[in-house]
Amino acid sequence: MPYVSHAELAERPGARELAQVASPDHKDIVDYGLMDVTLRGEDRSAWTAEEQEAADAAIVRVDDAVREADGVIDGFLARRYTLPLTAPVPPVVTGWSRAIARYLLHKDRQSLDKDDPIVRDYREALRLLQLAADGKFTLGIGDETVESNGGDVQIVSDAAVFGRDQLKAFR
């Protein structure tokens, strides 16, 4: 079971964006309405068989990106969790799957990385996945973060050899 469903993808990033990036070579873009009903599993009888085939091909590309995104997620989480995660999938994992799949579908996009919300969301997902793998971020499924001493230095020594009591003898 994928970590993000077609219906969730229909909501965000949305059928319009997915139709644009999942259409083969970004040519002959799938009708947005058709992409939406295909993602939601609704009636597609208003479209021709050829249009439906194009939508099905786009969905295959979306599913490939989601599968790859879920593989990345599993790669990070394998050290701490039993995989695959089962229903209900933590919302944060759904968000990571969506962000990574969206990035993969936009791989041909040219933009400045620092200003691109797709790249930003992808990098944030990878950062949080690394924190989860290291035990510093919880998925909220009964897991706990790993405590650390924060890198503080602790000095331990024997009892004081020379103190106030010893100084009293020198008065």
Side-chain angles (χ1 to χ4, degrees):
M1 179 173 132
Y3 294 144
V4 63
S5 69
H6 287 161
E8 290 166 323
L9 290 169
E11 293 299 320
R12 195 176 71 223
R16 179 180 298 265
E17 179 180 318
L18 292 175
Q20 292 170 354
V21 297
S23 296
D25 300 324
H26 308 296
K27 297 177 186 173
D28 301 323
I29 296 174
V30 174
D31 179 84
Y32 305 143
L34 173 58
M35 189 66 163
D36 189 61
V37 297
T38 301
L39 286 165
R40 296 177 191 281
E42 296 174 358
D43 180 33
R44 305 185 314 166
S45 62
W47 288 271
T48 67
E50 184 178 280
E51 290 172 320
Q52 291 179 32
E53 286 176 22
D56 291 341
I59 291 294
V60 167
R61 290 195 70 216
V62 169
D63 288 345
D64 288 346
V66 169
R67 217 176 352 270
E68 188 174 340
D70 291 356
V72 169
I73 292 168
D74 286 349
F76 275 97
L77 300 182
R79 293 189 307 185
R80 292 190 60 216
Y81 300 93
T82 302
L83 299 173
L85 298 173
T86 56
V89 174
V92 69
V93 175
T94 298
W96 293 337
S97 182
R98 178 185 291 121
I100 296 168
R102 187 177 185 205
Y103 176 82
L104 295 171
L105 287 166
H106 281 274
K107 68 178 186 230
D108 297 328
R109 180 181 171 129
Q110 294 182 0
S111 68
L112 296 175
D113 287 357
K114 64 181 179 133
D115 299 330
D116 190 336
I118 294 170
V119 173
R120 181 199 61 223
D121 291 349
Y122 169 74
R123 288 188 177 153
E124 180 69 3
L126 294 183
R127 185 182 74 77
L128 291 173
L129 277 163
Q130 185 62 60
L131 289 174
D134 293 342
K136 297 176 182 174
F137 184 84
T138 178
L139 300 183
I141 56 174
D143 55 341
E144 296 181 12
T145 58
V146 176
E147 295 295 324
S148 73
N149 66 4
D152 295 338
V153 176
Q154 294 181 351
I155 300 174
V156 179
S157 68
D158 294 331
V161 176
F162 195 75
R164 289 184 186 262
D165 292 335
Q166 290 81 10
L167 285 176
K168 289 180 187 174
F170 292 102
R171 282 191 197 185

